Amino acid sequence: MADASAPEPRRNLFTRFLDWVEWMGNLLPHPVSLFALLAIFVILLSGVVGWLELAVVDPRPAGARGVAEDGMIRAVSLLNADGFRRIWTSITANFTGFAPLGVVLVAMLGVGVAEKSGLLSAAVRGMVLGAPRHLVTVAIVFAGIVSNTASEVGYVVLIPLAGAIFYALGRHPLAGMAAAFAGVSGGYSANLLIGTIDPLLAGITQEAAQLVDPDYIVLPTSNWYFMVASTFLITLVGSLVTIFIVEPKLGAYDKSGADQTLLDERMMESLTAPEKRGLWYALAGFILVLALMAITLIPEWGILRNPDTGDRFNSPFFRGFVVWILIFFVITGFAYGRGAGTMKNDRDIIDGMATGLSSLGLYIVLVFFAAQFVAFFGWTNLGSITAVAGANFLQSTGMTGPLIFFAFILICAVINLSLGSASAQWAVTAPIFVPMLMIIGFSPEVIQAAYRIGDSSTNIVTPMMSYFGLILAWATRYKKDLGVGTMIAMMLPYSIAFLVTWSSFFYLWAFVLKLPVGPGSPTFYLIQAQ
């Protein structure tokens, strides 16, 4: 317990700035109300920009998917009869079709079993009791980055687990969630392995590059070297920000504002004999799941490999990875329950699943309104118009040297605040950025690597990121009155630190040390004589 009479530590200029950001942000209404108001605002704004006939030239080639016949991206008004009918008939589809909703519901069926059996509590205590304080922080940020290979794992499993781990260690649980969120989302383009996003971005980059060079090929591994090196940079920076900025700013944890069902005082007790036996059973279940995963992916005849190309990464295995999350937690959770004596039959599994879903009430309400806002915003084309305008601004600066990448990364980071999907943003802006930077001598692979820095760094401070609402909902379980301002102020130091250090590291890597960003990836591009 902190001494109430102890003087409050001096708050430096940056900390006072974060206090101001938090105060300003918390003037906003409840996140559910905020998304509802934003959805209404988008409808009203679309009426204005539609009346002004706002439009930009679509940089994508004629005939490409989604390109209008006249080659323009026009603002679409929802403030008319057609817009009202579209809204009225799509509200349910917007909600049920919101991508993170299904992922979270399926994953929580499994997580609920593991939580009900006691596996999560025992596993957390086994991992953290006696562990060095700061090593835990490093491990969480690193695990968040690596989890990107499996897409949704970090969001639906690691972030809430990190909060539980920090609470078990007597640290502020929101700091643990922030560290995990920074690794999972802020470090989205750093990894040790090739993930599902790599072939997707490479395909978009290749199409844009072929506007200049029709034979140019961009491989999914084109940024791998730089991604691997970035993993350790982001782990270090994210850990330092957590330890020296975020945790001191949050201060001591006040349990009074939390959901009391989360605050299990047994989290600091040593493991009992039945719990240890249950963990051995869970380990056997874990090995079984790994064997099933290997059988479906590794052999040439693996049923979850890409049926057309045989590829392991761009495959049903990874596209449907949330099913593995469900299977993993059901098998290991029930195995633990049998060993520890907390579960006996299928009824216990069903009870666990029901309990897991019952904790998502606020999230489901929030998603309903967030899904409407995201859908309305997409229909209006405002995100695409903003992206093209940002790209055109960079082009108008006339910069040609490597320093142009600092401006490029910053523009991508700003655009990401309104167009949260990495692939959607790159699909619109790559046809401008890639040919423009190729013409002044830079390779598509290097351009893509720089884009990924800007896109990743601001993921953690924009409500447009599809999992932002989920993180908010989980965070409010530890602090019921948590507002959007607190969330953004908590994550802003990571965003600033990642932008500054990652951009500088990219410049050092590519243009000072002259290292390739990936296997066979050149740094510069020489336009061939036609």
Side-chain angles (χ1 to χ4, degrees), residues 40-52:
I40 295 171
F41 174 73
V42 166
I43 295 172
L44 298 176
L45 179 62
S46 74
V48 175
V49 296
W51 178 73
L52 294 173

Side-chain angles (χ1 to χ4, degrees), residues 168-203:
L169 287 173
R171 300 169 67 180
H172 204 300
L174 292 184
M177 296 183 71
F181 190 19
V184 174
S185 197
Y188 186 65
S189 287
N191 216 317
L192 300 179
L193 302 172
I194 302 298
T196 53
I197 191 65
D198 294 283
L200 182 59
L201 292 182

Side-chain angles (χ1 to χ4, degrees), residues 36 107 341 348 444 499 505:
D348 295 320
L499 266 176
F505 181 63

Side-chain angles (χ1 to χ4, degrees), residues 157-510:
V157 177
L158 181 64
I159 293 175
L161 183 61
I165 290 173
F166 266 51
Y167 177 74
L169 287 173
R171 300 169 67 180
H172 204 300
L174 292 184
M177 296 183 71
F181 190 19
V184 174
S185 197
Y188 186 65
S189 287
N191 216 317
L192 300 179
L193 302 172
I194 302 298
T196 53
I197 191 65
D198 294 283
L200 182 59
L201 292 182
I204 296 171
T205 304
Q206 178 174 297
E207 288 185 7
Q210 289 178 351
L211 297 174
V212 175
D213 185 344
D215 298 322
Y216 205 96
I217 301 296
V218 179
L219 300 175
T221 56
S222 61
N223 296 150
W224 187 43
Y225 295 161
F226 182 68
M227 285 168 52
V228 171
S230 297
T231 299
F232 300 101
L233 172 73
I234 297 303
T235 299
L236 174 63
V237 174
S239 301
L240 292 176
V241 169
T242 303
I243 295 166
F244 294 109
I245 298 179
V246 173
E247 266 196 288
K249 166 104 176 34
L250 288 171
Y253 180 51
D254 180 7
K255 301 178 184 179
S256 63
D259 179 348
Q260 295 302 309
T261 62
L262 290 175
L263 307 182
D264 184 357
E265 298 301 331
R266 295 187 305 110
M267 289 292 283
M268 296 305 294
E269 295 179 1
S270 300
L271 294 174
T272 64
E275 287 175 326
K276 291 179 180 178
R277 183 171 62 251
L279 288 176
W280 281 111
Y281 277 53
L283 177 61
F286 174 63
I287 294 172
L288 173 62
V289 174
L290 285 182
L292 292 173
M293 295 172 76
I295 290 172
T296 60
L297 183 67
I298 294 177
E300 294 293 329
W301 43 264
I303 194 170
L304 292 182
R305 292 176 65 161
N306 189 309
D308 299 318
T309 65
D311 185 59
R312 292 187 178 91
F313 294 104
N314 183 20
S315 64
F317 182 93
F318 284 103
R319 288 197 294 271
F321 202 84
V322 67
V323 180
W324 285 118
I325 299 176
L326 169 64
I327 293 172
F328 170 79
F329 280 111
V330 168
I331 290 179
T332 57
F334 183 66
Y336 172 87
R338 292 288 293 180
T342 57
M343 282 192 165
K344 296 180 180 179
N345 52 41
D346 61 317
R347 292 183 178 274
D348 295 320
I349 294 176
I350 295 168
D351 287 343
M353 290 180 171
T355 302
L357 292 184
S358 69
S359 66
L360 293 177
L362 176 61
Y363 172 65
I364 292 173
V365 174
L366 188 148
V367 161
F368 175 80
F369 292 98
Q372 309 310 322
F373 165 62
V374 171
F376 299 169
F377 192 78
W379 295 346
T380 63
N381 286 336
L382 291 175
S384 298
I385 290 173
T386 302
V388 173
N392 289 338
F393 169 77
L394 179 60
Q395 194 171 19
S396 69
T397 63
M399 291 187 291
T400 58
L403 289 176
I404 194 176
F405 280 99
F406 286 101
F408 171 52
I409 291 170
L410 185 60
I411 288 289
C412 293
V414 172
I415 292 173
N416 189 55
L417 296 175
S418 63
L419 198 62
S421 167
S423 57
Q425 181 190 156
W426 195 226
V428 174
T429 56
I432 295 177
F433 286 136
V434 173
M436 180 188 80
L437 295 174
M438 283 178 72
I439 289 170
I440 60 177
F442 300 105
S443 74
E445 293 87 350
V446 164
I447 300 166
Q448 177 182 278
Y451 160 73
R452 297 175 75 167
I453 295 171
D455 173 73
S456 297
S457 297
T458 51
N459 272 340
I460 48 182
V461 292
T462 172
M464 290 299 296
M465 200 278 292
S466 56
Y467 284 96
F468 193 86
L470 173 65
I471 311 307
L472 262 178
W474 268 324
T476 56
R477 297 173 72 185
Y478 287 105
K479 183 176 171 60
K480 292 179 182 178
D481 61 348
L482 182 83
V484 174
T486 302
M487 189 74 176
I488 293 177
M490 186 170 66
M491 301 311 301
L492 188 59
Y494 296 103
S495 189
I496 295 172
F498 288 171
L499 266 176
V500 172
T501 58
W502 211 350
S503 300
S504 302
F505 181 63
F506 168 77
Y507 186 85
L508 176 69
W509 180 280

Side-chain angles (χ1 to χ4, degrees), residues 5-46:
S5 64
E8 192 172 318
R10 289 187 64 186
R11 305 178 77 78
N12 58 35
L13 183 62
F14 184 65
T15 303
R16 291 199 296 272
F17 166 70
L18 293 179
D19 289 339
W20 178 81
V21 171
E22 179 177 356
W23 178 76
M24 289 294 292
N26 284 341
L27 292 178
L28 297 171
H30 188 284
V32 172
S33 302
L34 177 62
F35 278 115
L37 292 172
L38 285 173
I40 295 171
F41 174 73
V42 166
I43 295 172
L44 298 176
L45 179 62
S46 74

